[in-house]
Amino acid sequence: MSNVSRRAFIKAFGLAAVAGTGLFGASAQAQRRAAAHVVILGGGIGGSTAAKYTRIMNPDVRITLIEQNAAYITCPRSNEVITGHFTLDDLTFDYETIKSRFDVDVIIDRVVGVDPDRREVRTQGGERVSYDRLVVSPGIDFRYEEIEGYTAEVAETRMPHAWKAGPQTLLLKRQLEALPQGGTVLIAPPQNPFRCPPGPYERSSLITEWLAQHNPRAKVLILDPKDRFTKDVPFKKGWERLYGYGTEHSRIEWISGSQGGRVLSVDPERMTVEAENGMHRADLVNIIPPQKAGKLAFDIGLVDQTGWCPVDRATFKSTQLDDIHVIGDSAVCDAMPKSGYSANSHAKLVAHVIRAELSGFDPVVPTWANTCYSLVGSDYGVSISDVFELRDGLIQKVPDSGAVSPVTDNPAQPLLESVYLKNWHRTFVKDVFS
Amino acid sequence: MTSRQYLGLSLVLAALALQPAAARDIASGELLGQNCAACHGTDGREFNEAMPPLAGMETEQFIRAMKDFREGRREGVVMDRIARAYSDAEIEAMAAWFASRPATQYGSEEHE
């Protein structure tokens, strides 16, 4: 069926009639009309995985996904858009497969309110959607106010954060390409916790690699409020091997929190950055601000004084409001990093919890996993990989397991990790969006 | 007690004795296995990548591979680190679940 005729068919007979020929047959479709309604807010990695796996685990429920954008751009691999290895199109995924293969109603609209007493979601377009279970995956927002002079407008014009893949990623790419010969790139990662803990260091690495080829006298300066960062041992070893880190000719420099790396203020007109160790001028400034839960989480009332959403760890149910699960970067999840893999793992647990509750099964024994690969160079990868369990009410690493890549003299290790990173992204986006 | 009743009681006692003393509750093989999907494909059904498919794998082969990674008998890129997180019971639960998945590429069917 061509796109046009398929669209006409959907219009004439309704989405359900088309979807009913898919993974789950017409009889399940009929049963579902009276069945529980699971509504998912947010179509990022957490929300999309929740839609797919809620269907896999619960053939008979109704599922609706509400997302304000018609497509999602993955943050994973977006650092490679800055250096031209990828385009944003390569990283863009829509909701067509989730609709058709998993019989999910997808509403592209902005959520303007949730009434937890009536269990109803309202959208800007005027829809009222009632739910039995709500799954919210709101992502992150930024605490611009913690850096004097830095605002959303500055981020969109002079000093992009590019911490959600999209227009700012392309702005950063243009700024890198326009960097004067021998110029300085300044990258300022935030304090913990934040989305994608290795991301600032992968970005610094790939920009350093790009500059070595296109702008060999240029330098990268990282101003960090922290003394340690994730995978710092294998990252720094890679910087030594690839970029002369630790020597006077190093292309990359990292200033820790103890050395005064915390950024206090910026002046976008002068392109200066004031840190605890003094004033810096740069030709490209990438401020990655401190973070908090996504705006939707605040609007619904899911956030506590930490700026994040507390949940019962065994079920990812909000401790603020009943019948609402919070997953992904917004949720407080202890030892788990705020990563796409983590969000995917939260979503799968919630799909099992919903089945157990709706079907009267025993409570689910939780388990979670996270594996993050990062590039130190195009063919040099490092990783962190952990399995998590519930212990003393908190999400903790399973003892004596997991950890970051070992530093070895075997050149195959980082090469294979870079191959696995590429493998991972292709496979992961299928597990999330199709 | 008749011999038949005695036999019944013996079987019950034997079954009780087989249960481990204070076994930690483990997650289902399905949920454990679904957490592998991000790299190995939904249901372990990714057949075209560097990381191997797990769907349809013989249980003995899965269990041996995981224990070899865990005990350091087999070199891994990441699997040696990951395997150390799992008990025998968890490895067996995952093995049974992956063995039950069809050994075909995920998403290849027109109508799954």
Side-chain angles (χ1 to χ4, degrees):
Chain A
M1 198 183 278
S2 75
N3 279 342
V4 173
S5 63
R6 183 183 163 84
R7 217 175 291 134
F9 182 72
I10 292 170
K11 202 172 170 187
F13 297 99
L15 178 64
V18 178
T21 63
L23 185 52
F24 304 91
S27 61
Q29 186 70 39
Q31 284 178 9
R32 217 171 282 152
R33 285 193 195 102
H37 192 194
V38 179
V39 175
I40 298 157
L41 306 185
I45 289 169
S48 297
T49 307
K52 168 175 171 173
Y53 276 84
T54 297
R55 171 59 73 230
I56 289 174
M57 301 310 300
N58 302 272
D60 297 332
V61 301
R62 286 172 59 212
I63 305 174
T64 301
L65 173 67
I66 308 179
E67 158 62 43
Q68 58 184 329
N69 299 310
Y72 182 78
I73 307 171
T74 70
C75 281
R77 302 214 76 176
S78 65
N79 282 332
E80 291 162 270
V81 173
I82 299 164
T83 51
H85 294 92
F86 267 118
T87 66
L88 286 183
D89 278 352
D90 296 330
L91 306 180
T92 301
F93 300 88
D94 67 24
Y95 302 103
E96 292 306 312
T97 311
I98 284 178
K99 269 190 209 172
S100 59
R101 184 176 286 161
F102 298 104
D103 189 13
V104 171
D105 290 331
V106 177
I107 299 174
I108 304 299
D109 201 347
R110 182 192 290 270
V111 172
V112 293
V114 171
D115 183 336
D117 296 325
R118 298 178 63 178
R119 297 200 297 196
E120 186 178 81
V121 178
R122 285 178 294 110
T123 71
Q124 197 165 43
E127 300 225 34
R128 288 172 180 271
V129 183
S130 61
Y131 61 84
D132 296 291
R133 291 288 187 285
L134 190 65
V135 182
V136 187
S137 190
I140 53 157
D141 205 346
F142 301 100
R143 302 153 99 108
Y144 294 104
E145 67 282 1
E146 294 200 13
I147 296 173
E148 197 188 328
Y150 198 61
T151 62
E153 200 216 329
V154 170
E156 281 159 21
T157 52
R158 298 278 287 174
M159 298 178 166
H161 55 67
W163 216 241
K164 291 182 180 182
Q168 289 191 30
T169 313
L170 299 178
L171 175 59
L172 195 53
K173 174 183 168 63
R174 289 195 299 275
Q175 290 182 344
L176 179 64
E177 288 164 353
L179 194 80
Q181 286 293 314
T184 299
V185 173
L186 191 158
I187 297 174
Q191 190 53 267
N192 294 324
F194 64 99
R195 165 180 283 183
C196 191
Y201 311 97
E202 178 186 76
R203 176 176 291 176
S204 304
S205 303
L206 291 174
I207 286 178
T208 305
E209 182 184 63
W210 188 91
L211 290 170
Q213 287 183 344
H214 298 91
N215 192 339
R217 288 184 293 111
K219 292 257 164 77
V220 173
L221 173 65
I222 306 171
L223 292 179
D224 206 326
K226 306 183 291 297
D227 286 340
R228 295 291 309 267
F229 58 87
T230 182
K231 299 183 254 191
D232 54 359
V233 172
F235 257 111
K236 288 177 184 173
K237 179 53 77 174
W239 292 346
E240 282 174 26
R241 287 170 170 167
L242 301 174
Y243 312 124
Y245 181 70
T247 70
E248 61 179 310
H249 301 296
S250 179
R251 298 179 187 281
I252 185 166
E253 186 182 359
W254 174 68
I255 307 290
S256 69
S258 301
Q259 294 168 321
R262 191 165 78 91
V263 169
L264 304 173
S265 69
V266 299
D267 183 336
E269 295 308 313
R270 294 193 168 83
M271 288 297 280
T272 55
V273 173
E274 182 196 6
E276 283 178 348
N277 74 342
M279 196 66 88
H280 302 265
R281 215 211 128 268
D283 303 286
L284 186 164
V285 176
N286 173 213
I287 301 285
I288 303 162
Q291 295 164 26
K292 59 185 175 184
K295 181 174 181 298
L296 183 59
F298 282 87
D299 292 347
I300 299 174
L302 297 167
V303 180
D304 71 8
Q305 71 286 352
T306 65
W308 303 98
C309 303
V311 295
D312 167 57
R313 310 303 198 269
T315 59
F316 275 69
K317 276 185 180 166
S318 170
T319 55
Q320 312 284 98
L321 295 170
D322 290 338
D323 302 318
I324 303 180
H325 301 267
V326 186
I327 59 172
D329 293 339
S330 275
V332 172
C333 53
D334 311 316
M336 287 187 90
K338 297 191 182 299
S339 71
Y341 200 126
S342 293
N344 174 270
S345 188
H346 302 164
K348 289 167 178 174
L349 173 67
V350 166
H352 282 247
V353 169
I354 288 172
R355 178 179 67 166
E357 294 189 350
L358 295 180
S359 309
F361 291 3
D362 288 341
V364 176
V365 177
T367 177
W368 304 268
N370 175 69
T371 299
C372 288
Y373 295 95
S374 306
L375 293 174
V376 185
S378 296
D379 298 315
Y380 191 112
V382 295
S383 64
I384 184 166
S385 189
D386 286 293
V387 179
F388 301 88
E389 62 185 2
L390 187 65
R391 229 168 43 242
D392 306 324
L394 299 175
I395 301 173
Q396 304 195 45
K397 292 179 185 185
V398 176
D400 305 318
S401 68
V404 301
S405 309
V407 171
T408 71
D409 292 330
N410 176 6
Q413 171 83 22
L415 177 62
L416 283 169
E417 300 228 52
S418 75
V419 171
Y420 279 22
L421 176 143
K422 293 154 197 168
N423 175 160
W424 170 80
H425 188 266
R426 287 188 295 263
T427 303
F428 181 65
V429 295
K430 281 194 225 171
D431 191 47
V432 173
F433 296 104
S434 59
Chain B
M1 187 182 278
T2 65
S3 62
R4 199 186 170 92
Q5 282 171 326
Y6 179 77
L7 179 64
L9 181 63
S10 304
L11 287 173
V12 168
L13 290 174
L16 286 173
L18 283 175
Q19 299 207 337
R24 179 168 70 107
D25 282 343
I26 65 162
S28 67
E30 185 170 38
L31 183 56
L32 287 161
Q34 285 173 345
N35 275 288
C36 310
C39 295
H40 294 276
T42 298
D43 290 354
R45 295 170 58 199
E46 181 52 66
F47 287 77
N48 297 310
E49 290 285 0
M51 299 187 229
L54 303 173
M57 189 183 281
E58 297 281 345
T59 53
E60 295 77 14
Q61 189 191 347
F62 183 93
I63 292 167
R64 189 174 63 243
M66 286 292 280
K67 289 185 177 175
D68 284 351
F69 279 128
R70 188 181 67 185
E71 316 300 340
R73 289 189 295 267
R74 178 170 169 179
E75 251 188 83
V77 177
V78 295
M79 277 312 301
D80 49 344
R81 290 177 262 160
I82 295 170
R84 288 200 290 273
Y86 296 114
S87 66
D88 286 359
E90 288 167 326
I91 289 172
E92 285 157 20
M94 281 189 273
W97 185 70
F98 281 121
S100 75
R101 304 291 96 194
T104 54
Q105 174 62 40
Y106 175 73
S108 59
E109 298 86 349
E110 184 69 19
H111 300 295
E112 288 203 40

